Each structure stands twice: as structure tokens, then as C-alpha cells.
Amino acid sequence: MTQDNSQLMDGSVAVEDQPLKKLYIETVGCQMNVLDSEMVVASLRRQGYELADQLESADTILFNTCSVRENAEEKVYSNLSKLKKFKLAHPEKILGVMGCMAQKDQQIVFDRAPYVDLVVGPGQLHRIPELLTRIESGDGSQMAVSLGRRDGSQEQIRRSHETFDPLRDPSMRPTPFQAYLRIQIGCDKFCTYCIVPMTRGPEQGRPPELIVEEARELARQGCKEITFLGQTVNSYRHVTGNHKTELADLLEQVHEIDGIERLKFVTSYPKDMTPRLLQTVRDLPKCSTYLHVPAQSGSDDVLRRMKRGYTTADYYDMMDRIADLLPDAAVSSDFIVGFCGETDEDFQKTVDLVQRCRFKNSFIFKYSVRPGTRGADLYEDDVPDDVKSRRNNELLAVQNAISQEDNLKFLGQRMTVLVEGPSKTSVKRGETGPVRQMMGRTNCDRIVVWEGNERQTGNMLPVLIHDASSHTLFGSVETMEMTPSVVSLPTMT
Ligand code: SAH
Ligand code: SF4
Ligand code: F3S
């Protein structure tokens, strides 16, 4: 396809007579990776790329990877080996591996898949356009990775992990009116099981003025909901001279921006859930009352070996503070089951913690040894896989029962939902035209579905809840109760 001097979606202009190149990008891992992929696409659009739906039709294929557990990595290597024949049959196509596994494995990626052209760590993504040009001009395979945690001065290491966040591409977002905004790079907590401090480098709070400007740009693009991202997002701090900015200050500043209607932040660290932050969330109406604060385990022995930096008593104190200042908040957690030395008694304490804290939901993972972490050196991965699976299922069942029970409390309530779009279920024909099952989220991050239509997408709607499962609330939209911004919508009852 050729396009002359035409406007691309991000407002950039394709170079005259230069055919558009096609990019296929596949993303796994956390929200950081989703955001990184958005930025890489934005930067490559400026180089005349457009997105391909199919891998086979792309000129450049990128895998954005995650290293947090072994199976996430093995999936990528297996995808790469499936692509070997294809790549050898089409040597002109560029195959790249970016993200955390690229940073962690570096040369190993080329060793395991020698037909890969490009390896780029998450701190070097801004170099992708230049590296692709080099590959195209015949310079051979290229690698750009950040410095290891001991491979230079603190300043050099930090610089090598910088990001290029202001480039945004609405078409790459989960929806155009919801966006992630990174406020913090890296992590310094060094939990003994975790690879992230190695792949994402030292913790750095991004300058507040850049964050606020980026939030303004997102609002100009029509974004209504911003989720601040950081590995320990509530530990965010930025100091210039005598002036210190914390997460609460950022929330206050971004709250002022017209067009932004909802603010969230993930992932929080239990020790830094301060009264001031909770009060700020309480007092700013745009702040979502949803807190993701992983506990990881309910056993103090396990928490100590994980080097999480808190005890269960500290965690319970934090839950009391939340209950006191934000009684309606929904709290969710992550857990690792089968960490080194975890006994049945330790596991039972985790079950007890889940029962006492009554999380909205929990993400539960089986421990996966990560070479390069302290945990891999210090402790033996001694819990058999079948025990890990059993504990995983048991904890999930306990959590699901709690989620189901707590969701029933919303029956008969009217909840304001930001409509994200059609849910995955099929289109039905209704009396007033095509009726779809729509999906959105409440202020406390609960998923709601109802029968509506696609014109509702992007609006805040009041939904009356009449049924609930452990993961979903089911409701209906009462047209008489609509908020002014949606009054003009056709009736659909
Ligand atoms: N920064 C976040 C978590 C990032 S990783 C935090 O501190 O909470 C996301 C989740 O993956 C973690 O909360 C943890 O539960 C899980 N995880 C991290 N390393 C893991 C490992 N080696 N094996 C299994 N799960 C792991
Ligand atoms: Fe990993 Fe711990 Fe940092 Fe979270 S806080 S990213 S679990 S080291
Ligand atoms: Fe995975 Fe990297 Fe995120 S290891 S969880 S993609 S920070």
C-alpha cells in the first residue's frame, strides 16, 4: 500500500511515496508492558508504520515479553521456534524481542533463536526506530539493553533505564478513553522472588511536571480515566531542591484537569499506604476507591524470607486504616503460593489472612524460581508442584466464595459505571435495534454487564444491579435515571 503525504492516525505524516510498513506486536505481562507497546507503536507510526492484524502480513514482528514467571518466558521461546521456518522463508521480515525478557536474557535470546534480528530492553525502547533502520540497511542483528544493577554509576544505570513516555497512541489502549500513565520507573524493593528490579532497574519517580503535562495531553485526546502506574506506585516521590512531591500531590494536580473523570493507581505497597494518601483518595471525588495492595503471604516467616519489609500485623494495621478512612474501598491482592519453605501451617495463615481481609479479588501465583534473584541463591524451591497447585486452587476457592458473597451486597443498588464497550458475548436483536451486552467498571473497579448499545461506550452510566457472580455484577440501565451526559441516548429497555 502506498500513501502520499497522508495524515496518519496520530497526526504524523507518511513520507512522500514511501509505502507504509506493517507492524505486528504481541504483548504479555503487566500494565507497564501494555503502556510500552503503546509507545513503541506511536513512535513507529511516525516512521511510516501501520498496525497489521495478522503476524503473517507484517514487515516487522515484535514480541513484548515478561520475565516474572518461567512459563511466561517459555511461551515466548516456543512462539519464536514456531516462527523459525516462516522467518527463514522471509529473511526480509524483521523479528524482534522487546521487554523484560529481552533485558534479562540479552544474548541468550540470539543463542536460543539465532534468526531473531532485534533484542531491546524496556529502558531502551526509544531506540527501536533507529535499530530497525540499521537492520534494514544490512548492519545485522541489533541489541540495546540497559545497564545491570552493578554495571555503572547510579546515575548511568538510572539513565539507561529511562522511558520515552510522552509519545501516546490512543488506538493501542484498552479503550481510547482509558489510559495508563507511568509515574514511576523500576523498583528498589528487591523482594527475594522477584526479577523486576533487575529488568526495570532502579526506582525513579518521574518529574511531576512531565506527568501533569502528559495527563493534560491524554485529556486532550479524549481520555476520561487515567491509571497511574508504578511497581510500588504509592512509594512515588520526586525531590527538587526542598520540594518533595508524593502520590497524593500528583492526584491533587491531575484531579484539576478538565475532562479527566476517574483516577486510579496501581500497584500499591502496604508499608506506604499512608493516612494522607487515603485521605486524599477520600476527598477527591474523581479518585477511584480501589486499592491493589498485594500481601503475597499471610505467614510472617514467609514474608521475612520474601523480604517484603512488613509483617502480617503491619498489613492488618493498613487494612484498619483503609476501613477507617475509606470504608467503601475495594481492596485486591496478589499471593504467591509454594514459596520456598512454605509449610501447610504457613499456607493456612494465608487462607486466614484472605478470610479476614475479604479482598475484592486476588491474583494467585505458584512460585516460580527466577535465576538472578536473591531467592534463587538463598533458598531451595522445595514445595512440590502438585502442592503448589493444590494451594493455588484452595486459596482461589476461598477468595471466590468471598467475592461472590460480597458482590451480593450490591443487589438493588445503583452504581455509576464507566462503559468500556461490548462484553465478549454475542449481539442480540432487540425491539429498538441491535442490543448488545455491554461492559463497564464501577468506581471501585467491579465489572458490570447489562444489555445496552455501543453508543453508551465511553459514558458514565448509572446501572441498577440485580444479579451477581464472584467476578461480575449484572444490571440494567434505567433511562429515567440517566445522567445529563447520556440523556440524549435512545431508550433501550
Ligand atoms: N510490584 C508489584 C508486583 C509486580 S509482579 C508488587 O510489588 O506488588 C506481579 C505479581 O507477580 C507479584 O505481586 C507477585 O505476586 C507475582 N510474582 C512476582 N514474582 C514471582 C515469582 N517469582 N513467582 C511467582 N509469582 C511471582
Ligand atoms: Fe517485585 Fe517486590 Fe518490586 Fe513488587 S515490590 S516489583 S514484587 S521487587
Ligand atoms: Fe513482567 Fe516486566 Fe511487568 S517482568 S510483570 S512485564 S515489569
Side-chain angles (χ1 to χ4, degrees):
M1 187 166 88
T2 323
Q3 208 171 335
D4 292 343
N5 263 353
S6 55
Q7 284 294 117
L8 299 181
M9 272 184 73
D10 64 351
S12 63
V13 171
V15 182
E16 199 170 347
D17 288 335
Q18 189 178 303
L20 280 174
K21 286 175 281 185
K22 290 201 163 183
L23 167 70
Y24 179 84
I25 186 163
E26 209 168 285
T27 308
V28 294
C30 66
Q31 296 99 327
M32 288 283 177
N33 267 11
V34 174
L35 179 55
D36 286 340
S37 288
E38 178 182 332
M39 286 161 188
V40 168
V41 169
S43 73
L44 288 179
R45 276 195 203 279
R46 293 179 179 211
Q47 309 295 310
Y49 275 88
E50 64 173 11
L51 279 178
D53 297 333
Q54 301 290 324
L55 180 148
E56 292 76 16
S57 61
D59 303 294
T60 297
I61 299 154
L62 294 177
F63 289 104
N64 195 0
T65 60
C66 171
S67 283
V68 84
R69 283 169 290 277
E70 190 183 2
N71 56 9
E73 296 190 332
E74 284 316 311
K75 228 185 223 157
V76 173
Y77 280 118
S78 141
N79 281 342
L80 287 175
S81 62
K82 282 188 208 142
L83 273 180
K84 180 176 179 181
K85 250 190 176 160
F86 177 76
K87 166 68 184 165
L88 295 180
H90 302 278
E92 75 289 354
K93 293 188 190 267
I94 297 177
L95 181 57
V97 175
M98 56 184 265
C100 289
M101 195 187 86
Q103 177 64 36
K104 171 175 156 285
D105 284 0
Q106 306 192 3
Q107 181 60 38
I108 296 171
V109 179
F110 292 127
D111 297 344
R112 289 186 65 171
Y115 42 91
V116 164
D117 302 292
L118 179 66
V119 170
V120 191
Q124 297 286 313
L125 300 178
H126 56 283
R127 296 189 54 200
I128 286 183
E130 160 214 336
L131 297 171
L132 289 179
T133 309
R134 282 204 207 165
I135 295 166
E136 282 161 357
S137 14
D139 288 356
S141 59
Q142 301 288 322
M143 178 161 83
V145 289
S146 305
L147 294 174
R149 300 276 318 210
R150 293 205 186 103
D151 294 343
S153 72
Q154 278 310 303
E155 185 57 18
Q156 286 168 329
I157 296 169
R158 271 201 294 271
R159 291 289 72 83
S160 80
H161 281 278
E162 262 182 357
T163 59
F164 64 137
D165 291 48
L167 275 182
R168 306 300 310 232
D169 189 306
S171 72
M172 277 300 287
R173 295 188 196 138
T175 71
F177 45 87
Q178 293 173 295
Y180 295 127
L181 202 176
R182 181 171 7 234
I183 66 167
Q184 184 188 54
I185 300 166
C187 181
D188 281 344
K189 297 287 191 281
F190 289 99
C191 304
T192 54
Y193 52 81
C194 185
I195 197 72
V196 173
M198 275 57 84
T199 62
R200 296 271 169 175
E203 180 183 320
Q204 314 182 51
R206 292 182 63 220
E209 54 284 2
L210 291 186
I211 293 167
V212 174
E213 183 41 43
E214 206 173 315
R216 285 210 185 91
E217 175 61 21
L218 289 170
R220 280 194 289 272
Q221 292 176 358
C223 174
K224 293 184 175 179
E225 178 187 283
I226 290 181
T227 304
F228 287 159
L229 294 187
Q231 295 300 343
T232 53
V233 70
N234 57 336
S235 319
Y236 170 88
R237 60 201 301 276
H238 186 271
V239 180
T240 27
N242 290 332
H243 188 69
K244 185 172 85 183
T245 308
E246 297 179 348
L247 175 58
D249 303 303
L250 285 181
L251 289 170
E252 280 168 2
Q253 291 174 37
V254 174
H255 195 268
E256 296 287 299
I257 299 174
D258 286 341
I260 300 302
E261 295 183 32
R262 199 179 265 176
L263 284 172
K264 297 183 185 173
F265 51 89
V266 289
T267 298
S268 290
Y269 182 65
K271 278 287 273 251
D272 291 323
M273 197 60 88
T274 60
R276 183 189 167 214
L277 176 61
L278 294 170
Q279 280 153 3
T280 307
V281 172
R282 180 194 63 194
D283 296 340
L284 297 177
K286 292 179 183 175
C287 279
S288 163
T289 48
Y290 163 62
L291 302 169
H292 182 57
V293 209
Q296 309 297 359
S297 170
S299 153
D300 285 334
D301 288 341
V302 174
L303 286 175
R304 199 176 321 110
R305 284 199 295 279
M306 288 178 165
K307 205 174 150 287
R308 279 292 283 179
Y310 54 84
T311 60
T312 49
D314 296 329
Y315 196 88
Y316 288 131
D317 283 349
M318 176 203 73
M319 288 301 286
D320 288 345
R321 276 200 302 280
I322 295 173
D324 193 27
L325 292 164
L326 279 176
D328 293 331
V331 181
S332 65
S333 181
D334 294 353
F335 291 95
I336 296 176
V337 291
F339 185 63
C340 314
E342 187 190 68
T343 61
D344 282 336
E345 291 74 45
D346 290 320
F347 174 68
Q348 190 51 46
K349 289 177 184 163
T350 301
V351 172
D352 295 344
L353 184 133
V354 169
Q355 275 165 339
R356 186 160 153 192
C357 294
R358 300 191 73 85
F359 298 108
K360 172 179 81 86
N361 65 298
S362 291
F363 299 95
I364 303 163
F365 307 102
K366 294 193 286 183
Y367 173 57
S368 164
V369 192
R370 304 288 56 220
T373 60
R374 292 270 313 280
D377 293 341
L378 289 176
Y379 310 117
E380 195 192 336
D381 178 22
D382 55 357
V383 178
D385 194 58
D386 59 325
V387 177
K388 288 179 183 170
S389 297
R390 183 160 44 75
R391 289 179 186 166
N392 191 335
N393 293 339
E394 195 181 323
L395 195 59
L396 200 59
V398 170
Q399 175 62 62
N400 283 345
I402 292 168
S403 304
Q404 163 87 63
E405 228 174 271
D406 284 358
N407 276 351
L408 291 177
K409 293 183 188 140
F410 295 102
L411 298 192
Q413 283 195 28
R414 220 162 260 115
M415 303 181 88
T416 303
V417 165
L418 175 60
V419 188
E420 295 187 7
S423 78
K424 283 165 219 141
T425 42
S426 58
V427 184
K428 284 204 296 178
R429 285 262 148 205
E431 281 171 20
T432 53
V435 175
R436 283 203 149 204
Q437 190 154 71
M438 299 297 290
M439 175 268 168
R441 272 172 210 267
T442 66
N443 190 42
C444 56
D445 202 54
R446 287 186 162 85
I447 294 170
V448 182
V449 300
W450 68 96
E451 281 195 355
N453 62 60
E454 285 196 51
R455 288 184 298 279
Q456 294 170 329
T457 304
N459 285 301
M460 292 277 192
L461 277 189
V463 181
L464 180 66
I465 306 302
H466 47 68
D467 203 358
S469 69
S470 54
H471 292 111
T472 313
L473 302 174
F474 303 91
S476 56
V477 174
E478 295 176 311
T479 46
M480 298 300 286
E481 305 281 343
M482 278 185 170
T483 55
S485 66
V486 293
V487 166
S488 59
L489 287 175
T491 52
M492 66 226 118
T493 43

